């Protein structure tokens, strides 16, 4: 997926499924683009569809997975301000 249209289609696809299961979050570090795409998927689903996330890391370790601490905070707490 190298195009913006491809990214938008992927985000829309994962935004539609009834239950999104994310397993082993934190197994690999996400680059900024990957973290931003995951944030977009999660915000697309906010208050409409269920999300199940499995990780062997405590919330405090999620900043190792997401390279931007503000983005990490926004994913953990959807009521926090969105990253700029």
């Amino acid at each position: 997926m190298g195009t913006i249209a491809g990214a938008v289609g992927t985000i829309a696809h994962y935004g539609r499924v009834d239950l999104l299961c994310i397993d082993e979050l934190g197994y690999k570090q996400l680059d900024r683009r990957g973290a931003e795409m995951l944030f977009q998927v999660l915000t697309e689903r906010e208050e409409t569809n269920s999300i199940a996330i499995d990780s062997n890391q405590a919330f405090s370790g999620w900043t190792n997975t997401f390279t931007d601490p503000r983005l990490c905070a926004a994913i953990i707490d959807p009521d926090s301000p969105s990253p700029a």
Side-chain angles (χ1 to χ4, degrees):
M1 168 189 14
T3 66
I4 292 177
V8 169
T10 298
I11 291 167
H13 171 75
Y14 288 110
R16 284 191 303 267
V17 297
D18 292 333
L19 172 64
L20 178 64
C21 297
I22 301 172
D23 190 27
E24 294 293 333
L25 184 68
Y27 179 71
K28 288 191 168 193
Q29 185 178 30
L30 297 173
D31 64 9
R32 182 163 182 85
R33 183 170 185 238
E36 289 172 353
M37 285 190 65
L38 179 58
F39 176 77
Q40 290 300 318
V41 168
L42 298 179
T43 56
E44 177 84 16
R45 302 179 60 77
E46 188 177 353
E47 297 182 16
T48 60
N49 299 86
S50 298
I51 304 166
I53 298 176
D54 175 49
S55 177
N56 61 351
Q57 289 187 353
F59 282 139
S60 60
W62 284 22
T63 54
N64 297 327
T65 300
F66 299 98
T67 54
D68 182 343
R70 290 183 60 215
L71 186 60
C72 180
I75 288 171
I76 292 172
D77 181 8
D79 293 328
S80 66
S82 296

